[in-house]
Amino acid sequence: MTSRVQTDRRAAEQRPTVFSHARIVDPARGLDAVGSVIVAEGRILAAGPEVLNQGSPEGWEIVDATDKVIVPGLVDARVFMGEPGHEHRETFASVSRAAAAGGVTTIVTMPDTDPVIDDPALVDFVLRRAREQSEVRVHPMAALTKGQKGLETTEFGLLCEAGAVAFTDARKSVASSLVMRRALTYARDFDALIVHHVEDPSLAGAGVATEGEFATRMGLPGIPREAESIMLERDMRLVDLTKGRYHASQLSTAQSVEILRIAKARGLDVTASVSINHLSLNEMDIGTYRSFLKFSPPLRHEDDRQAVIEALAEGVIDMIVSSHDPQDVETKRHPFAEAADGAIGLETLLSASLRLVHDGRLSWTRLVEALSLRPAERLGLGAGRLSPGSPADLAVIDPGMPWLLDRQALASRSKNTPFEDARFIGRVVRTLVGGRTIHVLDA
Amino acid sequence: MTNAPSTPAPAFPHRHLLGIEGLTPLQILHLLDKADDEVLVSRQVEKKKNVLRGRTQINLFFEASTRTQSSFEIAGKRLGADVMNMSVASSSVKKGETLIDTAATLNAMRPDILVVRHHAAGAVHLLARKVSCSVINAGDGAHEHPTQALLDALTIRRHKGTIEGLTVAICGDIVHSRVARSNILLLNALGARVKLVGPSTLLPSGAERLCVETFTDMKKGLEGADIVMMLRLQRERMNGSFVPSVREYFRYWGLDSEKLAWAAPGALVMHPGPMNRGVEIDPEVADGPQSLIAEQVEMGVAVRMAVLETLAEHLPNA
């Protein structure tokens, strides 16, 4: 990046930009109306139906956004990283491009890199690399236990000060109730959020698919849904005991929804995500052992998928995550049971979620709340809203644009998408972070 | 409250000293007054009294101790008793049985006073029921350590004139501390306001029912404290199980001069010892002008002399 470009850019940033005639969806203000969004000096100057009543002053850049939807940039609370340690899978530069293409302006990274992010100096490293390499905002979660071994809690205080936004052992569950209890208790002293993968490891055993007819027919070792229910139920009891702050990183079953519903009704400080994979796919999609559809938790029966969609619509499940998990051929091109879990998802997060809107299952407001406002609120980030003064992080969406996913055209360094050749309607056409355009869809 | 030594009135009617629990404020003050006199004895060239002449005192320690055991030994010797130290290895699996067997054996040797420390809460009470001599609890598990609370109170009183109305912050590993429990009881009995400060993992549950306030933030916890009492963090609790690391513990709960400045002006710093400098306390504070830590050790001997002498008054043929 030359200084000339920077100067031009700065000049462009200083000139207010108006996106006119757009449908603006801003759940923080309950706003869903056609109007204009004015961006100036990296912030939202105004966004709403009446902001251009007086006409726009001369010199402002006007972008006609007729038939487009403008939403606060998406906040993805579960993104696995290749850096440090597996840069061939993903780097901060490549993840940033993938996020930008998907309208995601803030990513929250998982700590299970090599080395595991369990020390304040490593949080510093992640933030520095992100500053240098990423155009989207990056907030790291730090490990919940040292080395993610599930035995000793990490330095929540020092890690929070370094910039960790929550604590999680990523794809690992903390098997010891005692360790979890102490972690929830200690986290309280720093108002820290514990994020947990809910799967009883001993009950899940070597399973790779949801126990039932499908797994039986395919000859795959099964995991009962109870592996998730038992861990979630245990955690709810521990949250009640400790009065800690807790977030379940991915719920996938009807049983889990009921457990969470009860816990919330009792006033516990608990929230949960569902991954776009579990919202979009069921176990039948695995078809002939497609390892790109191997997840932890595994894809579920259609009844469970319907239950989590319903819970998301009601707000029992708070947010949607991509669970973006770059894996390469080394880890994925194996027999199903031996392949690594996970799929990339940043670039398809919005388009796949829009299917729920097109099907009448979610309102636009609820969709944007689940993809942006709620994760930002829960993690204490200043994103997720278009109110005046907020950072101008936003996504411009063409809600009617049909497109076909070409795996090789994805920006992520890894291409393990579960949506290969999928048809979507609706796509991000422009992404801004801090008022700066970081992605424009080539028409 | 003046206590005439010539009157054998039951100013202290107990045969044992098993804990602060069960002592009235007057009984506590009686021991403190007596300890004040013992301080003078210890500061003379001639440190010997003969009130325990002919008496046998056994220090029975099931748990390693340097300062408490030597403090009791010196106290006994200054009063003229024959003192014997017994350190019992606690490796036996059948601890209950061993304890009672040991008690019976020792009882047969006809000691007059047993000073007992044990790693299990309630062990000293159990032993006291099995012997015919007086028993002093020198620490049972995480339950009580009454002579420590008494020596702390004596130290405070000699500096502040009274306990009543003072604000005392007890900081650190409260949940495992017998010193904290005895101090809470004693300070409450004498009318102090007690604040417990530490990470949530080291604060006991149900603490609010013990007439104390709890704080996880040192700044709020130390606010207005006239006395800051630091507790030792055991090594096995430092790395991950209760607190993640020494450096994090010291950062948020270690007493350094910056944190001490949040307490009342001229607040006094105490520590039952042995200290971990750089863990729960900064050397600058531990050895600084507000520290009473060395004085606590001196008061320890005086308090133990007072307790021994008081209990001896009730021994048969006294």
Side-chain angles (χ1 to χ4, degrees), chain A residues 146 155 157 161 182 186 189, chain B residues 200 244-245 247-248 251-252:
Chain A
K146 290 173 187 165
E155 299 164 308
E161 282 191 29
R182 292 228 178 101
Y186 190 67
D189 299 351
Chain B
S200 295
S245 67
R247 65 179 179 183
E248 176 146 315
R251 168 68 169 276
Y252 296 102

Side-chain angles (χ1 to χ4, degrees), chain A residues 212-432:
Chain A
E213 183 192 344
F214 176 79
T216 299
R217 284 183 187 279
M218 301 297 282
L220 293 171
I223 300 174
R225 290 171 182 77
E226 283 71 13
E228 185 170 307
S229 325
I230 287 170
M231 189 56 90
L232 183 64
E233 185 73 74
R234 178 202 79 172
D235 286 354
M236 295 303 99
R237 300 286 162 182
L238 291 178
V239 171
D240 201 4
L241 173 68
T242 59
K243 306 299 174 219
R245 297 179 65 219
Y246 176 93
H247 179 79
S249 61
Q250 295 181 101
L251 295 189
S252 62
T253 69
Q255 287 178 12
S256 294
V257 168
E258 286 321 302
I259 293 166
L260 182 66
R261 193 191 302 274
I262 291 165
K264 283 188 164 184
R266 291 173 64 204
L268 304 186
D269 190 356
V270 294
T271 49
S273 307
V274 56
S275 89
I276 187 61
N277 304 312
H278 294 91
L279 285 173
S280 308
L281 306 162
N282 68 31
E283 58 187 355
M284 301 304 287
D285 291 302
I286 292 169
T288 52
Y289 305 101
R290 292 170 63 198
S291 66
F292 286 5
L293 280 81
K294 180 167 185 269
F295 299 106
S296 174
L299 289 176
R300 303 299 191 184
H301 191 270
E302 179 63 11
D303 292 346
D304 283 318
R305 187 179 81 94
Q306 292 299 328
V308 293
I309 292 173
E310 195 52 42
L312 177 69
E314 289 175 41
V316 174
I317 291 180
D318 300 83
M319 57 189 94
I320 308 173
V321 293
S322 74
S323 266
H324 181 85
D325 190 354
Q327 299 288 340
D328 57 76
V329 291
E330 285 291 310
T331 52
K332 272 296 190 186
R333 202 166 286 169
H334 289 289
F336 188 83
E338 293 162 25
D341 297 319
I344 57 168
L346 278 166
E347 286 165 85
T348 45
L349 175 61
L350 181 87
S351 293
S353 302
L354 272 176
R355 287 173 168 176
L356 300 172
V357 175
H358 299 321
D359 292 348
R361 303 296 299 271
L362 290 187
S363 66
W364 268 95
T365 296
R366 178 68 195 119
L367 175 83
V368 176
E369 195 177 66
L371 282 171
S372 184
L373 180 62
R374 280 301 281 147
E377 282 177 341
R378 188 57 168 160
L379 293 163
L381 311 176
R385 47 188 78 225
L386 297 177
S387 34
S390 305
D393 295 1
L394 48 92
V396 183
I397 301 162
D398 182 339
M401 179 188 286
W403 65 292
L404 186 69
L405 185 107
D406 171 8
R407 184 158 88 91
Q408 294 310 324
L410 291 169
S412 179
R413 277 206 154 184
S414 296
K415 311 296 181 191
N416 55 312
T417 173
F419 296 110
E420 192 173 358
D421 299 330
R423 290 157 203 279
F424 294 112
I425 295 173
R427 193 167 189 185
V428 174
V429 294
R430 184 165 171 170
T431 306
L432 284 81

Side-chain angles (χ1 to χ4, degrees), chain B residues 97-271:
Chain B
E97 195 184 15
T98 306
L99 180 66
I100 291 170
D101 283 351
T102 310
T105 306
L106 287 174
N107 200 42
M109 299 179 193
R110 299 199 164 273
D112 298 287
I113 297 177
L114 265 180
V115 178
V116 186
R117 168 170 290 188
H118 197 278
H119 49 80
V124 181
H125 293 66
L126 176 63
L127 197 139
R129 288 202 297 271
K130 303 288 176 189
V131 295
S132 47
C133 61
S134 284
V135 175
I136 299 172
N137 183 356
D140 64 323
H143 179 222
E144 279 230 48
H145 190 358
T147 56
Q148 179 71 43
L150 287 165
L151 78 87
D152 288 340
L154 180 66
T155 311
I156 296 170
R157 198 176 73 161
R158 288 171 68 92
H159 280 266
K160 297 284 185 184
T162 177
I163 306 286
E164 194 173 349
L166 293 179
T167 298
V168 181
I170 306 177
C171 309
D173 185 359
I174 315 283
V175 73
H176 300 104
S177 176
R178 53 190 170 220
V179 175
R181 280 168 180 73
S182 288
N183 263 310
I184 291 167
L185 292 167
L186 188 151
L187 293 166
N188 270 328
L190 295 191
R193 172 188 177 205
V194 180
K195 302 167 92 178
L196 305 183
V197 196
S200 295
T201 44
L202 295 176
L203 290 173
S205 63
E208 61 287 350
R209 306 280 298 172
L210 302 177
C211 299
V212 294
E213 300 156 74
T214 58
F215 300 86
T216 57
D217 180 51
M218 278 287 267
K219 188 166 191 172
K220 288 181 191 141
L222 294 187
E223 213 171 59
D226 303 297
I227 305 289
V228 182
M229 227 179 241
M230 300 307 296
L231 298 174
R232 177 181 170 78
L233 183 68
Q234 300 290 342
R235 220 153 260 289
E236 62 270 23
R237 290 171 192 137
M238 288 180 194
N239 294 308
S241 49
F242 288 87
V243 293
S245 67
V246 167
R247 65 179 179 183
E248 176 146 315
Y249 187 78
F250 184 70
R251 168 68 169 276
Y252 296 102
W253 294 281
L255 187 69
D256 54 17
S257 48
E258 191 191 331
K259 296 195 188 83
L260 183 56
W262 298 331
L268 299 172
V269 177
M270 303 175 75
H271 193 301

